[in-house]
Amino acid sequence: MKSKNSLIIGIAIVVIIAGTVAYLRRPTEPAATNGGVHPVQVGIRQVSESRSAQVSLSFPGTVTAEGVANVSAGSDGTVVSSNIRLGQKVGIGTVLARIDDPSGSIASDSGFRNADIRNAELSVERAKLSYTESKRADGNTSTHASELSKDLAKKNLESAQATLTALLDRHIIKSPIAGTVTSRDVATGDSVKTGDPLYVIENGSATMTVTFYVSESERALIVPGSTIRIMRTPNDSQPVSGTLKRVSSAADPASRRFLAEATVTDRNSVLPGTSVSVFADATLNPSGSGHFFLPLSAVAIESSGTSSIFTIQEGIAKRIPVDVVRIEGETAEVSADLQDDTRIIIENAKRVKDGEAVASK
């Protein structure tokens, strides 16, 4: 009898434990709400507030210095002449160094042993002889053919002279500005490669300039004379101020972008040759009647190519088709026939469905 009572008690304990576990694991019922549905919380803006927009444009830029010339080697070779001293004052066109190939066996008329220069000089000599002969022949015959031959010989001579001049300019290093030599990185007998730094010349009136490129649409937004911000690092806590100086009227043929230049207010705050980020604020104005601006995130661009936005009418989201006119960064200009007091959803628009209950923040 005692064994039977123990069995009954054990079964009762197991049942109680199983019931407790089942109770603790039951799904939590959601708290009752008004209708059981939470309206989506959204941010709104009236159409009247969207007729224009402020955007921040950013561009990668490079710092350069006006009044400072970094002179580099124009060709490979050996520096055979470099008599300029550190601290010496030089004028525009002063010869700083000569780069040659001392191993060349034949000296050219200009004193270089470089084979390319010697060949270019020979080409000029041959072109001169040809031109002299063609002039003599034209003077004797005065025919249309002889005149054409003379003109062709003249062009060949001019081309040969231009080639020789270009070669000499690469081997005879001259100062591009008048100033003082503040850095000298080469001496007679040194071997150099094209692009190696040789001298730095400063005229004492250095102005720091930031150059960057803008697209055709961005070019229409930035105005010379406006203030820009220059960030030297991604998290620069104290951006440097600058003034937009000019924007080129002609695009670069390769990139189809326009060169822009800005002067730096504090010229000691940036270093020449460094890369920076340039920021400019611009105002977008509508390009037509019925146009307004919205964050790009507020515009639904569907796979069919159509676009839409959501408005609020009596607490319900309503889908409105729109035409996207243009996109500038994260801002879209759209067109739709809406009243100025129409409220448009600009935050959390991606979570909203047509006909869904919404509530403004």
Side-chain angles (χ1 to χ4, degrees):
M1 186 67 178
K2 185 177 180 179
S3 175
K4 186 176 180 180
N5 290 338
S6 298
L7 178 61
I8 293 173
I9 293 172
I11 292 173
I13 292 174
V14 170
V15 171
I16 292 171
I17 293 174
T20 302
V21 171
Y23 175 79
L24 293 176
R25 290 185 176 180
R26 78 190 192 284
T28 302
E29 295 182 2
T33 60
N34 184 18
V37 178
H38 287 289
V40 177
Q41 297 293 311
V42 297
I44 63 172
R45 181 196 298 165
Q46 289 190 349
V47 171
S48 59
E49 300 172 313
S50 304
R51 295 301 184 187
S52 63
Q54 295 292 323
V55 295
S56 180
L57 308 174
S58 62
F59 318 93
T62 302
V63 180
T64 59
E66 296 179 2
V68 177
N70 294 281
V71 183
S72 58
S75 62
D76 298 351
T78 301
V79 177
V80 296
S81 174
S82 177
N83 299 318
I84 301 299
R85 303 180 309 278
L86 190 65
Q88 181 176 337
K89 294 186 179 298
V90 296
I92 297 176
T94 298
V95 175
L96 306 175
R98 290 166 65 94
I99 301 174
D100 198 4
D101 179 11
S103 63
S105 58
I106 301 176
S108 64
D109 292 341
S110 55
F112 286 93
R113 293 182 176 273
N114 181 273
D116 292 336
I117 293 179
R118 178 55 182 163
N119 290 334
E121 289 178 341
L122 292 175
S123 295
V124 170
E125 291 176 7
R126 288 192 293 266
K128 284 181 178 179
L129 290 175
S130 178
Y131 181 49
T132 300
E133 180 60 25
S134 63
K135 285 197 299 182
R136 185 191 63 76
D138 183 51
N140 292 336
T141 60
S142 296
T143 64
H144 180 64
S146 66
E147 184 177 0
L148 288 177
S149 178
K150 180 188 69 174
D151 291 342
L152 178 60
K154 182 179 180 181
K155 291 184 181 300
N156 289 338
L157 174 59
E158 291 172 348
S159 177
Q161 289 173 330
T163 300
L164 175 59
T165 299
L167 275 172
L168 291 174
D169 287 342
R170 288 167 52 191
H171 288 77
I172 302 175
I173 310 302
K174 299 179 181 180
S175 174
I177 63 173
T180 302
V181 178
T182 58
S183 176
R184 182 175 184 268
D185 300 313
V186 69
T188 301
D190 288 350
S191 294
V192 295
K193 296 287 186 182
T194 302
D196 285 352
L198 304 180
Y199 297 93
V200 175
I201 300 170
E202 301 183 31
N203 62 15
S205 60
T207 299
M208 295 300 175
T209 300
V210 177
T211 58
F212 54 99
Y213 285 88
V214 302
S215 67
E216 186 171 3
S217 61
E218 292 166 339
R219 174 173 171 263
L221 296 176
I222 56 178
V223 180
S226 59
T227 300
I228 63 168
R229 300 183 306 281
I230 302 164
M231 294 187 67
R232 294 155 292 187
T233 62
N235 299 312
D236 195 344
S237 60
Q238 294 181 322
V240 180
S241 296
T243 303
L244 184 63
K245 188 176 180 181
R246 66 173 67 91
V247 182
S248 173
S249 59
D252 176 72
S255 65
R256 305 304 304 165
R257 295 173 69 82
F258 298 82
L259 176 65
E261 296 181 358
T263 55
V264 181
T265 303
D266 181 3
R267 69 183 190 183
N268 296 319
S269 60
V270 290
L271 297 175
T274 57
S275 297
V276 295
S277 295
V278 180
F279 292 85
D281 295 325
T283 300
L284 298 178
N285 293 309
S287 57
S289 177
H291 294 192
F292 50 93
F293 299 93
L294 295 173
L296 192 57
S297 59
V299 183
I301 302 176
E302 300 161 4
S303 57
S304 61
T306 59
S307 302
S308 62
I309 61 175
F310 285 99
T311 63
I312 294 182
Q313 296 182 12
E314 297 179 355
I316 302 299
K318 182 178 180 181
R319 179 183 176 275
I320 303 293
V322 296
D323 293 324
V324 177
V325 179
R326 61 169 165 161
I327 295 175
E328 292 290 348
E330 296 299 318
T331 302
E333 179 182 359
V334 300
S335 173
D337 186 14
L338 298 177
Q339 298 297 319
D340 279 351
D341 59 355
T342 301
R343 296 182 299 166
I344 302 173
I345 297 176
I346 61 170
E347 295 179 22
N348 270 349
K350 302 298 184 184
R351 297 179 54 196
V352 174
K353 296 180 181 179
D354 193 23
E356 189 174 32
V358 295
S360 60
K361 296 179 179 181

